[in-house]
Amino acid sequence: MKNLDWSQLSFGYTKTDYNVRSRYKDGKWSPLEVSDSEMLDIHMASTCLHYGQESFEGLKAFRGKDGKIRLFRAEENAKRMINSADYIMMQAPSVELFTEAVAKAIKLNEAYVPPYESGASLYIRPLLIGVGPQMGVAPAKEYLFVVFVAPVGPYFKAGFKPVKMMLERVYDRAAPNGTGHIKVGGNYAAGLKAGVIAHDKGYSTAIFLDSKEKKYIDECGPANFFGIKNKTYVTPASHTILPSITNASLMILAEDMGLKVERRPVPVEELETFEEVGACGTAAVISPVGQIDDLTTGKSIHFGKPGEPGEWSTKLYNRLRAIQYGDEADKFGWVKIIE
Ligand code: PLP
Ligand code: COI
């Protein structure tokens, strides 16, 4: 294992030894290539640079107490990349090619999978881009699929501690019938301004509202929203929300733990009725939200005891982590051991 200060890692880029690549040309994907370069050599007229033909994924691998490396639900990320690619007219790697590339990238960089005790993990970033010269607005004829990895710590600085978020009432990250439900770079570009404003004002991130009526809760920056009240886990149903694999897993765990699960529009006015609120995602895991400010109305909503994650959020967090790190039996079949 590499000699890194694992417990001090934040969510950032660390150079590892190898990445894995495949190129789509003349109707087929090339066999996987291993590269030790951090650079891509692409044509300056590539569609990813001009017309936003780009999709990425994010998933994690964890080292257990037994030293084994466990990969979490990679097939779901593969399927989501296929959906993203279809919508913006890109060729996508098959589920098999995607999972093979992910496993290979982990294996080649095994020494960067953080030790069990550190609580850190290996973040895996698959990337799909349209390449090759293309001047008119049209789908590319060639595509590049790259998988690289980096050891990471918590996404929100606090780790598993309540954070403050602000309601975003000006900017939208996605149009009502646009690309919010898929994982494409344009959504993140559209959300940057709101994110930077939120950070500058001292918030972890911005909570977007639905872009049609501005009445309902949408995404929490790069994570899904959930609220808990009366033993019910509530998460928004909306076409502009990315279907989070973490959230899908939490809904299953919540039901398994005796909570009711509701997926439906969540009006802003409902916020103050929640006992607990959180943001969830691969990078965020669960980030409990302790306070939401609406700068337009001047209203501040507080959840739970100051500085303490809520009871159900803690139970869900512990359960998800136990499955990911192999401390609990994988009864849902979510984990694959990388041999
Ligand atoms: N929402 C957005 C906008 C995201 O970028 C992410 C991260 O992938 C999520 C939600 C959480 O999705 P997942 O749990 O699949 O990582
Ligand atoms: C993830 O949770 O994997 C994300 O993609 C979040 C972000 C870093 C874009």
Side-chain angles (χ1 to χ4, degrees):
M1 219 180 289
K2 298 280 168 179
N3 188 20
L4 299 182
D5 196 354
W6 304 106
S7 58
Q8 292 306 307
L9 285 173
S10 61
F11 189 89
Y13 181 79
T14 299
K15 183 184 183 310
T16 56
D17 294 340
Y18 302 104
N19 57 82
V20 176
R21 305 170 180 203
S22 173
R23 193 176 266 266
Y24 181 90
K25 202 176 171 185
D26 301 327
K28 57 178 190 298
W29 288 98
S30 70
L32 292 175
E33 271 168 41
V34 175
S35 170
D36 61 3
S37 167
E38 292 171 278
M39 302 298 160
L40 302 177
D41 190 13
I42 60 168
H43 198 283
M44 62 186 171
S46 291
T47 58
C48 65
L49 299 176
H50 300 258
Y51 307 132
Q53 269 200 312
E54 188 275 354
S55 168
F56 70 95
E57 273 300 330
L59 61 166
K60 279 179 174 170
F62 307 83
R63 195 186 291 278
K65 247 185 220 155
D66 53 9
K68 289 187 182 156
I69 301 170
R70 289 169 173 80
L71 174 63
F72 189 69
R73 305 197 76 177
E75 290 77 15
E76 297 304 313
N77 294 88
K79 289 190 236 160
R80 193 167 65 187
M81 179 167 266
I82 291 173
N83 280 342
S84 301
D86 276 354
Y87 195 88
I88 61 165
M89 304 302 293
M90 299 199 290
Q91 287 293 329
S94 63
V95 172
E96 293 72 32
L97 180 61
F98 182 102
T99 49
E100 186 193 340
V102 166
K104 192 163 185 143
I106 298 169
K107 193 73 199 153
L108 288 165
N109 296 293
E110 208 172 338
Y112 292 92
V113 184
Y116 172 78
E117 300 74 29
S118 67
S121 57
L122 189 75
Y123 185 72
I124 302 142
R125 176 53 68 85
L127 172 70
L128 177 67
I129 55 176
V131 295
Q134 175 77 49
M135 204 56 120
V137 180
K141 295 185 183 68
E142 295 174 27
Y143 294 88
L144 182 61
F145 174 54
V146 184
V147 179
F148 63 91
V149 303
V152 298
Y155 188 75
F156 294 119
K157 272 198 205 98
F160 190 64
K161 287 263 177 62
V163 296
K164 259 187 356 179
M165 295 191 178
M166 63 168 264
L167 284 187
E168 173 52 61
R169 289 198 182 268
V170 179
Y171 300 103
D172 297 321
R173 66 180 276 284
N177 289 318
T179 54
H181 64 298
I182 55 171
K183 202 159 168 73
V184 297
N187 295 341
Y188 297 82
L192 280 177
K193 200 161 203 137
V196 169
I197 292 171
H199 277 155
D200 288 352
K201 292 184 190 289
Y203 297 97
S204 287
T205 194
I207 300 182
F208 290 96
L209 302 182
D210 77 283
S211 44
K212 194 169 178 186
E213 297 182 88
K214 303 274 196 189
K215 280 188 182 162
Y216 303 98
I217 302 292
D218 229 65
E219 293 265 37
C220 285
N224 277 183
F225 171 96
F226 69 83
I228 299 175
K229 60 178 174 186
N230 310 325
K231 293 195 108 187
T232 306
Y233 179 98
V234 184
T235 193
S238 152
H239 179 70
T240 46
I241 291 181
L242 186 76
S244 155
I245 296 157
T246 312
N247 198 6
S249 310
L250 291 176
M251 284 188 249
I252 291 171
L253 291 177
E255 267 187 350
D256 197 58
M257 288 157 69
L259 296 181
K260 221 175 111 196
V261 171
E262 289 178 7
R263 257 190 97 218
R264 55 165 173 81
V266 178
V268 176
E269 300 76 52
E270 191 179 348
L271 276 180
E272 54 197 286
T273 68
F274 288 114
E275 293 149 18
E276 298 178 37
V277 161
C280 63
T282 298
V285 194
I286 287 182
S287 287
V289 178
Q291 181 179 338
I292 297 177
D293 290 356
D294 184 343
L295 304 185
T296 310
T297 61
K299 197 167 179 173
S300 247
I301 306 169
H302 296 263
F303 305 96
K305 294 192 193 124
E308 272 184 44
E311 176 196 346
W312 284 106
S313 303
T314 306
K315 284 186 187 160
L316 285 165
Y317 177 85
N318 288 340
R319 190 90 199 275
L320 178 68
R321 303 281 280 175
I323 295 174
Q324 291 174 330
Y325 282 91
D327 293 335
E328 177 183 321
D330 175 29
K331 78 168 183 181
F332 303 105
W334 288 342
V335 166
K336 184 174 166 237
I337 299 205
I338 302 294
E339 302 289 354

